[in-house]
């Protein structure tokens, strides 16, 4: 068999991602703190980049500001058109929507905005080590979110649950007043307490307790040891701390041996269920976007200029270095630094416009939540937002990861506003999953006799008559998530009632 060399041409298709495009995609999905450290690393590596140290503080005027002057508040000089006004009722027609780049681009976000100036922090590559992320312990918050994803929550319950998970400290205790949280979310206190009771079933048992007594009570209930004597002991923990055993025996109505056994059981419990998980230094979360209400039912959306790196390309220094470059290697180095600096500035500008555009569409879609509360969250997914603003779903997904928006109802991650929905059998607007769950609960609560008990199939038929297109297994899932027994068990209860 003869061996020989030959020249051959083949044509094919392949996806090639340039280093510049990789950088733009990476910047898009970074949080503001990660972006801060990344930019600092670029400042150290590239001598042609420098921070814009110019004072960008807004002028302070005496007396109250008019609501119409809101557009100029907290916006850097030359960026007066960078905000967006989103009406409660306005619907943008497809012809009015700007289209942007499919992967990192954004259309015009309201004028030429010079967002690309000034940054600070440390090297991103040094702090985000892959091996460290693999070996570090999982935090309590991550453990709770893992359970939340498979807990059966949906719609408004899931949204409220995420707020409660964020309120848990490292010890596992729920911090913050429930009434204030319910008022901020615009929901009933009883609804929020129902969500909390379901969250208190999460592992480790005892999390989401509001005090030590409730934490120990949750653990005793799991062990089926929460009898009246033990409840009395928990009600008198102050006597236990004083070691007033005689008063404890009288309060619990037990003898000395039983009291010793009860105290031993109590000591076997943990007052800090979250202590077994890894901890991280707490970092304050700064919002990427601000939303405020203006006149005429408009929502003003603007970027937080404090979290935007502001950089300049030093043209004078580039001219000096270029003139002094003698060898080809030096000339190539200077040219690469200039290209990298210009691309970074352009990528930061593009990132800011993309975030603003996505956040503005989310506000437009979820204006009911901002105006009336969590019960008015609409079904929303990535595709709906992507189609409305002319971007790819992956771009919207990157933008909404680790980005936060400050609203009159509190600060939320952008992903908070994406909720599931149930299709309308008449082809109209979809029903939110929470409203469907409420209808199911109402149907079951109206059962007063054995003959009135509805099976899951019958509930499906009733809901379809009202325009809700839902499957039987979905009804069963919602019913079990609300801790409602099956129709067979409900009939048995009503029969012996």
């Amino acid at each position: 068999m003869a061996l020989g060399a030959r020249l051959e041409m083949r044509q094919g298709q392949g996806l090639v991602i340039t280093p510049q495009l990789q950088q733009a995609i990476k910047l898009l999905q970074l949080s503001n703190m990660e972006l801060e450290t990344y930019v600092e690393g670029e400042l150290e590596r590239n001598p042609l980049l420098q921070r814009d140290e110019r004072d960008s503080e807004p002028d302070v005027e005496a007396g109250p500001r008019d609501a119409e002057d809101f557009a100029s508040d907290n916006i850097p000089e030359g960026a007066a058109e960078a905000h967006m006004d989103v009406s409660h009722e306005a619907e943008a027609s497809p012809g009015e929507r700007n289209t942007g780049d499919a992967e990192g681009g954004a259309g015009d976000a309201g004028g030429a905005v010079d967002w690309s100036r000034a940054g600070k922090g440390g090297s991103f590559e040094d702090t985000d080590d892959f091996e460290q992320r693999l070996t570090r312990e999982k935090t309590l918050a991550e453990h709770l979110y893992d359970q939340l994803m498979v807990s059966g929550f949906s719609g408004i319950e899931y949204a409220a649950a995420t707020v409660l998970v964020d309120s848990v400290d490292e010890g596992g205790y729920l911090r913050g007043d429930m009434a204030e949280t319910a008022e901020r979310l615009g929901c009933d206190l009883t609804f929020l307490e129902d969500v909390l009771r379901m969250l208190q079933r999460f592992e480790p048992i005892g999390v989401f307790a509001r005090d030590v007594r409730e934490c120990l009570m949750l653990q005793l209930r799991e062990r089926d040891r929460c009898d009246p004597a033990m409840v009395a002991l928990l009600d008198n923990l102050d006597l236990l701390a004083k070691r007033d055993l005689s008063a404890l025996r009288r309060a619990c109505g037990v003898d000395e041996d039983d009291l010793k056994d009860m105290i031993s059981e109590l000591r076997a419990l943990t007052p800090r269920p979250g202590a077994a998980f890894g901890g991280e230094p707490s970092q304050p979360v700064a919002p990427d976007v601000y939303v405020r209400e203006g006149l005429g039912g408009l929502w003003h959306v603007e970027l937080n200029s404090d979290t935007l790196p502001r950089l300049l390309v030093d043209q004078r220094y580039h001219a000096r270095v270029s003139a002094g470059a003698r060898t080809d290697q030096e000339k190539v180095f200077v040219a690469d630094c200039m290209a990298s600096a210009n691309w970074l500035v352009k990528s930061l500008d593009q990132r800011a416009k993309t975030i603003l555009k996505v956040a503005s569409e989310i506000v437009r879609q979820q204006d009911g939540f901002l105006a009336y509360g969590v019960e008015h969250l609409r079904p929303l997914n990535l595709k709906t937002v992507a189609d409305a603003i002319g971007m790819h779903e992956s771009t919207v997904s990157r933008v909404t990861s680790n980005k936060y928006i400050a609203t009159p109802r509190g600060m939320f991650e952008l992903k908070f506003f994406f909720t599931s929905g149930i299709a309308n059998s008449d082809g109209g607007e979809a029903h939110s999953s929470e409203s469907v769950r409420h209808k199911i609960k109402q149907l079951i609560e109206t059962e007063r006799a054995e003959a009135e008990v509805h099976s899951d199939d019958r509930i499906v038929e009733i809901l379809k008559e009202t325009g809700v297109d839902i499957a039987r297994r979905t009804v069963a899932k919602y019913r079990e998530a609300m801790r409602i027994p099956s129709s067979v068990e409900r009939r048995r209860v009503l029969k012996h009632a």
Side-chain angles (χ1 to χ4, degrees):
M1 180 179 179
L3 298 177
R6 63 178 181 178
L7 186 64
E8 193 174 272
M9 293 183 62
R10 292 184 181 180
Q11 184 177 8
Q13 291 182 338
L15 179 62
V16 178
I17 301 180
T18 64
Q20 291 84 0
L21 182 56
Q22 291 178 0
Q23 182 191 52
I25 293 174
K26 180 178 182 179
L27 291 180
L28 194 61
Q29 61 192 12
L30 295 182
S31 66
N32 51 39
M33 295 184 66
E34 293 170 338
L35 181 65
E36 190 177 281
T37 57
Y38 178 85
V39 168
E40 176 62 22
E42 292 298 314
L43 285 167
E44 293 176 357
R45 283 188 288 270
N46 195 333
L48 299 183
L49 281 173
Q50 67 176 19
R51 296 187 185 92
D52 182 4
E53 304 291 353
R54 292 176 296 180
D55 185 14
S56 61
E57 290 293 329
D59 295 333
V60 179
E61 299 179 1
R65 299 290 303 278
D66 189 89
E68 296 179 356
D69 296 332
F70 178 86
S72 62
D73 293 345
N74 299 322
I75 299 182
E77 183 180 357
E81 299 183 18
H83 72 285
M84 286 192 174
D85 296 342
V86 183
S87 171
H88 290 289
E89 304 293 336
E91 290 287 342
S93 64
E96 295 173 344
R97 295 172 184 149
N98 295 325
T99 58
D101 185 72
E103 271 299 325
D108 183 19
V113 185
D114 186 12
W115 291 114
S116 332
R117 303 178 182 172
K120 51 187 175 179
S123 173
F124 176 76
E125 283 80 1
D126 294 340
T127 57
D128 192 28
D129 185 74
F130 180 69
E131 293 181 359
Q132 291 179 0
R133 288 186 281 117
L134 285 179
T135 57
R136 72 171 176 85
E137 294 183 37
K138 180 180 290 188
T139 64
L140 176 62
E142 291 171 341
H143 181 66
L144 294 177
Y145 268 110
D146 288 344
Q147 297 177 77
L148 185 61
M149 294 296 292
V150 296
S151 62
F153 283 111
S154 62
I156 309 306
E157 283 186 346
Y158 185 90
T162 59
V163 175
L164 295 180
V165 170
D166 290 338
S167 301
V168 173
D169 64 14
E170 292 183 356
Y173 287 89
L174 183 67
R175 301 305 180 189
D177 185 78
M178 288 285 288
E180 292 179 0
T181 303
E183 182 179 359
R184 178 164 60 89
L185 294 177
C187 64
D188 295 334
L189 179 59
T190 54
F191 163 77
L192 196 62
E193 289 176 343
D194 289 340
V195 174
L196 176 61
R197 277 192 289 271
M198 289 186 279
L199 289 173
Q200 287 176 341
R201 299 173 181 265
F202 282 14
E203 295 286 346
I205 299 299
V207 292
F208 293 99
R210 286 157 284 189
D211 52 40
V212 175
R213 179 189 178 278
E214 187 176 22
C215 179
L216 300 177
M217 179 79 76
L218 292 171
Q219 297 176 59
L220 289 171
R221 285 176 180 170
E222 179 67 17
R223 302 185 180 193
D224 198 20
R225 282 293 296 118
C226 198
D227 52 44
M230 191 64 80
V231 172
L233 177 59
L234 294 177
D235 291 336
N236 294 274
L237 290 177
D238 56 332
L239 296 178
L240 181 60
K242 298 176 183 177
R243 299 195 62 79
D244 191 349
L245 300 184
S246 59
L248 273 178
R249 286 197 299 271
R250 292 193 298 271
C252 299
V254 296
D255 57 26
E256 184 175 354
D257 292 336
D258 287 340
L259 182 60
K260 287 182 179 179
D261 292 339
M262 292 166 60
I263 294 175
S264 297
E265 287 187 54
L266 213 58
R267 286 175 176 170
L269 306 177
T270 172
R272 287 177 56 84
F277 292 84
E280 293 181 344
S282 58
Q283 298 287 350
V285 176
D288 299 88
V289 183
Y290 286 114
V291 177
R292 297 175 187 173
E293 188 172 8
L295 297 177
L298 293 176
W299 293 105
H300 299 277
V301 182
E302 68 181 25
L303 292 173
N304 181 5
S305 58
D306 293 336
T307 63
L308 295 173
R310 292 178 289 187
L311 300 179
L312 291 174
V313 180
D314 195 336
Q315 300 287 354
R316 292 182 180 179
Y317 186 62
H318 172 254
R320 288 172 52 194
V321 174
S322 298
R326 298 178 180 178
T327 66
D328 291 341
Q329 184 178 4
E330 291 174 350
K331 293 178 181 178
V332 169
F333 174 75
V334 174
D336 288 345
C337 287
M338 189 62 178
S340 177
N342 284 327
W343 184 264
L344 179 59
V345 170
K346 179 181 177 182
S347 297
L348 290 174
D349 177 73
Q350 191 177 60
R351 174 184 182 273
K353 292 178 180 179
T354 305
I355 293 174
L356 182 62
K357 195 170 186 180
V358 172
S360 299
E361 179 60 24
I362 290 175
V363 170
R364 191 183 72 84
Q365 295 279 355
Q366 298 291 9
D367 61 332
F369 163 76
L370 297 174
Y372 308 112
V374 70
E375 294 183 1
H376 295 268
L377 273 174
R378 297 172 181 168
L380 185 65
N381 54 37
L382 296 174
K383 187 176 186 304
T384 302
V385 174
D387 291 344
I389 61 179
M391 292 184 183
H392 196 272
E393 288 182 52
S394 62
T395 304
V396 177
S397 178
R398 293 186 180 98
V399 169
T400 54
S401 297
N402 302 315
K403 309 295 188 306
Y404 291 84
I405 182 170
T407 73
R409 297 193 175 275
M411 186 161 59
F412 306 93
E413 189 177 7
L414 288 178
K415 285 190 177 297
F416 168 85
F417 297 96
F418 293 90
T419 61
S420 59
I422 306 297
N424 191 315
S425 59
D426 298 329
E429 184 178 355
H431 302 271
S432 70
S433 55
E434 179 57 30
S435 64
V436 174
R437 290 157 71 96
H438 183 66
K439 290 179 181 179
I440 294 173
K441 187 175 182 180
Q442 282 186 323
L443 285 173
I444 294 176
E445 287 178 347
T446 57
E447 299 171 347
R448 294 291 181 267
E450 184 181 355
E452 297 177 358
V453 174
H454 302 298
S455 65
D456 291 345
D457 289 324
R458 177 54 185 160
I459 293 176
V460 170
E461 295 174 1
I462 296 174
L463 291 177
K464 285 187 176 180
E465 292 174 0
T466 62
V468 181
D469 188 8
I470 190 171
R472 188 197 64 80
R473 62 179 179 275
T474 307
V475 171
K477 182 182 73 173
Y478 286 178
R479 176 179 52 74
E480 292 170 359
M482 292 185 289
R483 305 296 190 269
I484 297 176
S486 66
S487 59
V488 176
E489 295 175 356
R490 300 201 306 274
R491 286 193 184 94
R492 187 181 300 118
V493 171
L494 290 174
K495 182 178 181 180
H496 294 90

